[in-house]
Amino acid sequence: MAAVAGVVFPGGLRQDGLPAALSDPARLAAVRATGLLDTGPEEAFDDLAQLASTVTGCARAVIALVDERRSFWKSAVGIDPATRQDPVGEGFCGVLVGLGGEPFVVDDAATDLRTRDHPSVGAAGIGAWAGYPVLGPGGEVLGGMYVIDDVPHRWRPGELKSLATLSRAVSNELNLRRTLTTAREALTASRDLARSLQDSLLPPALVPVPGLDVAASYLPAHGDRVVGDFYDLFQATGRWWCTVMGDVCGHGAEAAKVTALARYTLRAEATRHLSPATILANLNTAMLDQRGSDRFLTAAYATFRATAGGVAGRLCTAGHPPALIRRADGRVHPVGRTGTLLGVLREVKLTDVRFRLSPGDTLLLYTDGATEARPPATDPDAVRPQFGEDALARVLAECGGMTAEQVVTHVGQAIARHDHGRPDDDTALLALRVPPPAGNQ
């Protein structure tokens, strides 16, 4: 059955006599991408269809999506609501698809040479028909918006202009929805990628250190950025072990690249040097030699070994907050001498500071997300106090008798209470604890 008589369709005809454009794969994919096939009525489309009926004075108005075999009515005014579709060859909406974006207007369907022999004219009581295409983001004809008059109707220019405008409004609504869906999908993918990339910059698990209880936690910021907080714990050579806590300025792919460079450089340097200051100075050189951005890095790096009385080590801080040591008796004090941050200057001032941990002592490394945590902004003029170094020290002092895992959990919970679980910055914590003798836990 021919769709209409005497109309030339740019894409030709299918074997059933209908426009070949109906079966175009790209068009069909765009129709399916709307997500509206076989869905119920919606106010946004019903309002537009009702407006088309009102401005043209026609009792029937339809917004239809057309696939290869049917015309699905997303909205239909003046038609039995139980009827939501018809075969594509039984109406004229398929003609809009075949015309590739041009309107189809008939003043008198019973006498017009294009439509007078079409079975729908009598069966559906079509006196006059006017329709404009609904287009997808790539110009694909998804269907159409059309009105039907029961009697012949000489369409006035103002009516057709209004109908064209309303069909564009339908197209814009569809495309806006698709854009929002695509944006949501992209955001989800970005979140997954960001967290996967961030996780790849952290060790999957801390290796066990003989004679030590170790634990770490990573508290992600509210949002989906890849940031530069990282930590590591590994054996250097012989009895010596190394741990580092670092923070790269900024976020995103550039921060991730600096983080990766830092981790691998530090591990390589640890096999050649035991001085934290020397190792961080060599990292500074590597960052400047491979500089591809303006990112800089702060770090606290320690080398240590087990002794008969606990742990002996050296620590160097490069623009990073000092480490904290909690003694078995509850006293807390900082360790580390402020040094130059890395990746900016060729000449840096870095100093190794010796430390010892006795049974029951804990060393805590952290990034500035811990001390700079703030409550969420509820009022532009509200004061948002930082958690601060003093509060961090007080919370650590409360950790008597706790394991390393319990220490990072306790500290993390205190920070979360302060920022209401919505941190502005990522926070990494790492604890090294010398267990007390059995029976004195």
Side-chain angles (χ1 to χ4, degrees), residues 194-195 197-203 217-221 225-232 244-252 255-260 262-263 296-299 320-321 365-372 423-429:
R195 192 48 55 202
L197 179 56
Q198 188 71 60
D199 290 345
S200 73
L201 300 175
L202 301 172
S217 70
Y218 183 77
L219 311 173
R225 304 174 303 172
V226 180
V227 296
D229 287 14
F230 69 96
Y231 59 82
D232 206 355
V244 61
M245 179 68 68
D247 189 353
V248 177
C249 166
H251 53 83
K257 288 193 292 186
V258 175
T259 300
R263 283 197 63 210
F296 60 82
L297 166 70
T298 72
H320 200 83
L365 301 177
Y366 57 94
T367 55
D368 59 11
T371 55
E372 296 179 3
D424 294 327
D425 193 7
D426 285 24
T427 302
L429 304 170

Side-chain angles (χ1 to χ4, degrees), residues 73-208:
W73 304 338
K74 179 59 182 174
S75 181
V77 174
I79 298 177
D80 182 357
T83 305
R84 298 297 306 282
Q85 63 184 22
D86 63 357
V88 70
E90 291 188 5
F92 299 144
C93 203
V95 176
L96 292 173
V97 175
L99 290 175
E102 295 298 320
F104 186 65
V105 178
V106 178
D107 290 347
D108 188 342
T111 62
D112 192 302
L113 294 177
R114 299 169 299 172
T115 59
R116 66 184 182 184
D117 295 326
H118 197 284
S120 66
V121 173
I126 299 176
W129 198 97
Y132 282 76
V134 170
L135 303 178
E140 310 91 348
V141 182
L142 307 178
M145 180 179 204
Y146 59 89
V147 291
I148 302 172
D149 202 338
D150 299 340
V151 297
H153 185 130
R154 184 176 295 279
W155 301 102
R156 297 188 300 274
E159 293 174 331
L160 296 180
K161 183 177 181 180
S162 296
L163 193 58
T165 300
L166 291 172
S167 70
R168 288 196 298 272
V170 174
S171 300
N172 291 339
E173 176 69 19
L174 291 176
N175 295 332
L176 177 59
R177 291 181 179 212
R178 180 57 186 162
T179 299
L180 290 174
T181 298
T182 301
R184 291 189 187 101
E185 292 171 350
L187 180 59
T188 298
S190 176
R191 286 172 177 163
D192 294 343
L193 178 61
R195 192 48 55 202
S196 177
L197 179 56
Q198 188 71 60
D199 290 345
S200 73
L201 300 175
L202 301 172
L206 294 182
V207 294

Side-chain angles (χ1 to χ4, degrees), residues 36 72 148 405:
L36 295 179
F72 171 73
I148 302 172
E405 183 69 36

Side-chain angles (χ1 to χ4, degrees), residues 34-57:
T34 66
L36 295 179
L37 288 174
D38 300 310
T39 60
E42 294 183 48
E43 184 177 7
F45 297 107
D46 288 347
D47 286 347
L48 291 170
Q50 185 61 60
L51 187 56
S53 172
T54 300
V55 298
T56 61

Side-chain angles (χ1 to χ4, degrees), residues 160-340:
L160 296 180
K161 183 177 181 180
S162 296
L163 193 58
T165 300
L166 291 172
S167 70
R168 288 196 298 272
V170 174
S171 300
N172 291 339
E173 176 69 19
L174 291 176
N175 295 332
L176 177 59
R177 291 181 179 212
R178 180 57 186 162
T179 299
L180 290 174
T181 298
T182 301
R184 291 189 187 101
E185 292 171 350
L187 180 59
T188 298
S190 176
R191 286 172 177 163
D192 294 343
L193 178 61
R195 192 48 55 202
S196 177
L197 179 56
Q198 188 71 60
D199 290 345
S200 73
L201 300 175
L202 301 172
L206 294 182
V207 294
V209 181
L212 272 182
D213 177 22
V214 300
S217 70
Y218 183 77
L219 311 173
H222 177 65
D224 307 296
R225 304 174 303 172
V226 180
V227 296
D229 287 14
F230 69 96
Y231 59 82
D232 206 355
L233 175 66
F234 54 93
Q235 188 169 11
T237 180
R239 299 168 55 199
W240 288 95
W241 288 74
C242 302
T243 187
V244 61
M245 179 68 68
D247 189 353
V248 177
C249 166
H251 53 83
E254 290 301 320
K257 288 193 292 186
V258 175
T259 300
L261 171 66
R263 283 197 63 210
Y264 295 120
T265 300
L266 292 173
R267 280 182 171 250
E269 290 294 322
T271 63
R272 302 170 52 211
H273 306 284
L274 288 177
S275 164
T278 300
I279 291 172
L280 290 180
N282 289 344
L283 171 58
N284 181 68
T285 300
M287 290 177 64
L288 293 174
D289 289 346
Q290 300 187 35
R291 193 178 186 95
S293 69
D294 58 355
R295 304 297 182 195
F296 60 82
L297 166 70
T298 72
Y301 185 96
T303 58
F304 58 91
R305 63 180 176 84
T307 65
V311 164
R314 287 175 286 180
L315 181 139
C316 179
T317 59
H320 200 83
L324 294 177
I325 292 179
R326 183 197 185 278
R327 297 301 179 187
D329 61 8
R331 291 177 296 124
V332 175
H333 65 85
V335 59
R337 186 175 300 170
T338 302
T340 312

